[in-house]
């Protein structure tokens, strides 16, 4: 299907130093009148299609169509720009001052700064600022829902802000992202008196959690490193079940060995079977997540196994695109609140970074207030917040139904504190009963959420009750995993088999004998229906 679109004359491209040469109606540039040619929808605004389109202005509806014997990677290769890419990114120490000169190429294998602190991926913001907010909004919007490699992915549709220098050929993607933003109409109205409540379903994804967003970036970079003959024999992580699922799926897709360290008997069966099925080398270790994390850090320091946990700041570059996507889905209007469940605490910073980049680059004029929600059984950030950021203490994380956030010593604590302080943020917590009730309530209104999303919903309920979040505030709750990964917790709840929990919203199945009379009896009782007297 071809349609007409306007492209600027190629002379603009040759005169400018800009890496993205196709843009229309861009107020920042004074340039020759656009020439109108026909192009396939998939090549609109595709920076890598510059060469083929701008070299030949002959109107031809078929020109940019994929050839019959071409796949989408071949097509992307054919459209690749020969223009010099002027965008770049590098590792820098996290939150370093302006005088800091320490930095590393993304092609180096490095997870920590010289002083042992966290790293961050720093983009060349001056180069990005050569394009205004309207340009970026239009570019990102033009790519949604297409199959153009790699921009059809919600992550890679923002490639210039993620890994600007990677060759599309090296990208390993499942066209992740672009997850639905669900208007929680009934839940909002019935339980909170809200009418502008939204749930960002990051868990409706390739491996069932938001981890896919970060893993496509990390595994793509590993793919590149291996092609550059860097010593990477495999990729490893410690996991509470979602990181390991994403890692093993993306590695399997790329033919890269993956190794996962799992705390024995602490993750769901659905999560456990994912890396097994994807051919990962799975170590079930008799410790908790924090113990696994310590081990993988030690092992990756000794062996050429690339570390895939969010200690590795590459992951957060992918995860931040969920924030950009939320703005995009609201037509670039900024919500008042975004609530994110927190464990190892990379994601809350990723959201902050996504929102902040949109503000700094002029796509929006403010950022939302962030709330990080923790399970009371694994709440080191909550305790730190309650101490008014006085003293951070790692805790021994206790068992929680929100098992993916059973983490007592989060590696990204500094990133989380930074995100919260700079977004006027709040930390809340949820007890086991609160999070399970919230999950059941949400499910009863048509969702099927994971217990971690129950933690986030509990935070919302508490902040609504205290009046911090207003009835009319536009609020987004981030749902981080698919409910189908955590069915055992729902079975336990609805069977009322949880000690010391009332399970007040349980909806257990009714056992009934296989005869018409018995079925009619229970139905009439359920419906409150009395048979008319004759
Ligand atoms: C389902 C789910 N929700 C929330 C989180 C918390 O994310 P983060 O570790 O980035 O805080 C995790 C992992 O930790 C997770 O797997
Ligand atoms: N919930 C995570 C815990 C590890 O987090 P990461 O983001 O640092 O990889 C998991 O699923 O393993």
């Amino acid at each position: 299907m071809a349609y007409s679109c306007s492209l600027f004359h190629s002379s603009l491209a040759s005169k400018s130093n800009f890496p993205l040469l196709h843009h229309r109606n861009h107020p920042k540039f004074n340039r020759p009148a656009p020439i109108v040619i026909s192009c396939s929808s998939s090549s609109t605004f595709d920076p890598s299609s510059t060469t083929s389109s701008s070299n030949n202005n002959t109107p031809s509806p078929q020109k940019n169509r994929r050839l019959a014997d071409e796949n989408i990677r071949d097509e992307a290769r054919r459209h690749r720009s020969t223009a010099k890419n002027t965008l770049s990114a590098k590792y820098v120490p996290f939150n370093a001052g302006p005088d800091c000169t320490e930095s590393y190429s993304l092609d180096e294998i490095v997870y920590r700064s010289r002083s042992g602190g966290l790293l961050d991926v720093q983009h060349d913001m001056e180069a990005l600022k050569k394009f205004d907010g309207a340009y970026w909004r239009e570019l990102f919007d033009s790519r949604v829902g297409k199959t153009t490699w790699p921009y059809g992915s919600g992550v890679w549709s923002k490639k210039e802000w993620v890994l600007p220098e990677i060759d599309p050929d090296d990208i390993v993607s499942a066209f992740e992202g672009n997850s639905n933003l669900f208007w929680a109409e009934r839940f909002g109205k019935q339980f909170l008196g809200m009418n502008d409540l939204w749930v960002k379903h990051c868990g409706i994804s390739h491996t069932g959690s938001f981890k896919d967003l970060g893993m496509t970036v990390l595994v793509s970079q590993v793919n590149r490193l291996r092609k550059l003959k860097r010593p990477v024999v495999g990729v490893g992580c410690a996991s509470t079940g979602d990181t390991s699922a994403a890692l093993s799926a993306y590695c399997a897709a790329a033919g890269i060995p993956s190794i996962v360290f799992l705390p024995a008997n602490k993750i769901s069966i659905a999560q456990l079977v994912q890396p097994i099925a994807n051919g990962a080398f799975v170590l079930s270790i008799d410790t908790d997540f924090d113990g696994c994390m310590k081990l993988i850090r030690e092992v990756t320091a000794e062996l050429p196994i690339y570390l895939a946990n969010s200690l590795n700041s590459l992951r957060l570059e992918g995860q931040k695109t969920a924030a950009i996507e939320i703005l995009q889905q609201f037509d670039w209007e900024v919500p008042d609140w975004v609530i994110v469940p927190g464990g190892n605490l990379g994601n809350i910073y990723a959201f902050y970074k996504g929102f902040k980049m949109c503000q700094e680059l002029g796509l929006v004029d403010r950022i939302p207030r962030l709330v990080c929600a923790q399970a009371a059984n694994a709440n080191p950030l909550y305790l730190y917040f309650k101490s008014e950021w006085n003293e951070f203490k790692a805790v021994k994380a206790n068992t929680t139904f929100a098992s993916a956030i059973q983490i007592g010593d989060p590696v990204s604590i500094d990133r989380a504190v930074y995100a919260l302080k700079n977004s006027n943020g709040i930390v809340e917590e949820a007890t086991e009963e609160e999070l399970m009730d919230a999950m059941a309530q949400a499910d009863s209104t048509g969702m099927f959420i994971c217990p971690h999303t129950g933690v986030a919903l509990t935070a919302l309920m508490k902040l609504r009750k205290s009046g911090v979040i207003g009835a009319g505030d536009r609020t987004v709750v981030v749902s981080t995993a698919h409910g189908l990964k955590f069915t055992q917790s729902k079975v336990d709840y609805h069977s009322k088999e949880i000690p010391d929990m009332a399970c007040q919203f349980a909806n257990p199945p009714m056992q009934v004998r296989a005869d018409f009379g018995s079925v009619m009896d229970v139905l009439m009782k359920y419906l409150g229906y009395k048979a008319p007297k004759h």
Side-chain angles (χ1 to χ4, degrees):
M1 178 201 58
Y3 66 85
S4 225
C5 69
S6 57
L7 295 171
F8 287 110
H9 196 276
S10 57
S11 63
L12 171 71
S14 53
K15 278 183 198 149
S16 75
N17 216 9
F18 298 145
L20 310 175
L21 304 168
H22 275 178
H23 33 76
R24 59 183 171 188
N25 306 332
H26 194 283
K28 214 167 177 177
F29 305 108
N30 194 4
R31 65 203 137 200
I35 50 170
V36 178
I37 64 165
S38 287
C39 65
S40 72
S41 57
S42 63
S43 69
T44 313
F45 288 119
D46 178 348
S48 62
S49 69
T50 307
T51 314
S52 59
S53 298
S54 56
N55 283 354
N56 178 359
N57 296 330
T58 315
S60 157
Q62 299 297 323
K63 191 166 77 70
N64 288 323
R65 281 243 187 122
R66 182 144 57 86
L67 306 174
D69 59 348
E70 239 184 10
N71 64 37
I72 53 174
R73 261 191 213 276
D74 298 333
E75 181 189 36
R77 216 174 286 131
R78 183 162 58 84
H79 285 189
R80 184 164 313 145
S81 171
T82 52
K84 186 174 161 8
N85 173 31
T86 57
L87 301 180
S88 63
K90 60 188 177 186
Y91 294 121
V92 296
F94 173 72
N95 196 18
D99 298 337
C100 175
T101 54
E102 185 181 343
S103 72
Y104 306 88
S105 155
L106 298 188
D107 291 338
E108 286 184 61
I109 298 172
V110 54
Y111 316 115
R112 288 265 180 201
S113 71
R114 267 201 294 274
S115 66
L118 293 163
L119 293 175
D120 199 15
V121 173
Q122 186 183 72
H123 290 265
D124 180 347
M125 294 298 277
E126 290 315 309
L128 290 170
K129 278 180 189 164
K130 295 211 167 115
F131 302 87
D132 69 6
Y135 173 82
W136 289 117
R137 288 196 301 259
E138 209 175 332
L139 178 71
F140 296 161
D141 286 348
S142 75
R143 291 168 172 168
V144 176
K146 308 279 166 59
T147 54
T148 313
W149 186 265
Y151 306 114
S153 151
V155 171
W156 296 108
S157 63
K158 283 102 188 157
K159 178 178 182 293
E160 294 79 4
W161 292 21
V162 174
L163 286 186
E165 290 162 290
I166 197 166
D167 190 317
D169 242 8
D170 296 340
I171 289 175
V172 182
S173 168
F175 277 15
E176 51 291 304
N178 293 323
S179 59
N180 59 319
L181 184 57
F182 173 87
W183 179 35
E185 181 181 14
R186 201 176 141 218
F187 184 84
K189 243 185 228 158
Q190 188 169 329
F191 298 111
L192 297 157
M194 296 177 85
N195 65 12
D196 208 2
L197 174 63
W198 302 78
V199 177
K200 176 67 173 163
H201 276 299
C202 294
I204 302 182
S205 177
H206 185 59
T207 70
S209 88
F210 73 96
K211 305 286 180 176
D212 293 340
L213 304 175
M215 212 51 85
T216 180
V217 176
L218 184 133
V219 174
S220 297
Q221 180 63 14
V222 170
N223 201 28
R224 171 181 161 89
L225 293 176
R226 283 164 63 95
K227 287 188 186 175
L228 293 172
K229 304 276 178 249
R230 297 290 146 83
V232 180
V233 297
V235 192
C237 72
S239 185
T240 53
D242 291 324
T243 297
S244 44
L247 176 65
S248 40
Y250 282 84
C251 280
I256 298 171
S258 61
I259 298 134
V260 305
F261 288 14
L262 300 176
N265 305 318
K266 289 188 174 64
I267 71 171
S268 77
I269 292 287
Q271 288 174 310
L272 173 62
V273 83
Q274 288 183 286
I276 291 173
N278 285 144
F281 186 52
V282 179
L283 302 190
S284 176
I285 307 179
D286 189 16
T287 178
D288 55 11
F289 170 80
D290 297 299
C292 289
M293 190 69 224
K294 184 169 173 291
L295 283 168
I296 193 79
R297 282 169 71 166
E298 287 166 0
V299 167
T300 51
E302 288 299 315
L303 297 176
I305 297 173
Y306 195 77
L307 179 66
N309 284 102
S310 59
L311 175 66
N312 187 325
S313 46
L314 277 181
R315 280 262 312 279
L316 306 182
E317 291 308 293
Q319 289 171 211
K320 81 182 179 200
T321 62
I324 307 169
E325 218 170 85
I326 288 173
L327 297 175
Q328 204 170 3
Q329 286 167 312
F330 285 132
D331 221 357
W332 304 100
E333 280 179 17
V334 183
D336 299 303
W337 297 92
V338 174
I339 307 178
V340 187
N344 222 9
L345 299 181
N347 211 26
I348 185 78
Y349 176 69
F351 270 88
Y352 169 78
K353 190 170 182 184
F355 288 127
K356 197 67 195 169
M357 275 186 87
C358 286
Q359 185 190 26
E360 283 181 9
L361 292 168
L363 285 75
V364 294
D365 58 6
R366 64 187 180 95
I367 67 168
R369 289 185 71 181
L370 297 180
V371 178
C372 190
Q374 293 211 293
N377 280 358
N379 63 353
L381 181 71
Y382 176 77
L383 296 177
Y384 192 18
F385 175 74
K386 281 288 160 193
S387 77
E388 297 181 348
W389 305 123
N390 255 327
E391 196 192 357
F392 175 74
K393 277 200 209 119
V395 301
K396 170 91 190 123
N398 290 314
T399 304
T400 166
F401 280 105
S403 54
I405 54 175
Q406 190 183 330
I407 297 173
D409 193 6
V411 297
S412 285
I413 181 69
D414 294 346
R415 291 176 175 141
V417 173
Y418 183 90
L420 291 160
K421 284 185 178 169
N422 287 287
S423 64
N424 194 13
I426 294 176
V427 188
E428 257 302 347
E429 67 168 2
T431 66
E432 292 302 290
E433 182 148 17
E434 286 168 342
L435 74 91
M436 291 299 275
D437 282 347
M439 178 171 78
Q441 286 168 284
D443 287 358
S444 76
T445 64
M447 290 182 254
F448 196 75
I449 59 164
C450 69
H452 322 85
T453 310
V455 172
L457 287 173
T458 301
L460 168 62
M461 287 167 150
K462 289 182 171 174
L463 293 169
R464 264 298 289 133
K465 199 167 172 200
S466 62
V468 174
I469 295 184
D473 291 358
R474 176 172 286 180
T475 304
V476 180
V477 170
V478 176
S479 178
T480 43
H482 204 297
L484 284 171
K485 284 188 170 196
F486 298 93
T487 47
Q488 189 58 50
S489 64
K490 293 178 193 284
V491 170
D492 293 348
Y493 185 91
H494 290 288
S495 320
K496 296 192 168 214
E497 271 175 7
I498 305 173
D500 305 321
M501 199 180 287
C503 303
Q504 52 174 318
F505 302 102
N507 178 31
M510 169 82 62
Q511 299 290 331
V512 60
R513 287 214 331 259
D515 63 72
F516 179 74
S518 307
V519 171
M520 284 299 282
D521 282 350
V522 296
L523 278 178
M524 288 188 4
K525 191 168 170 210
Y526 171 69
L527 297 169
Y529 181 79
K530 291 198 175 58
K533 288 200 178 104
H534 296 292

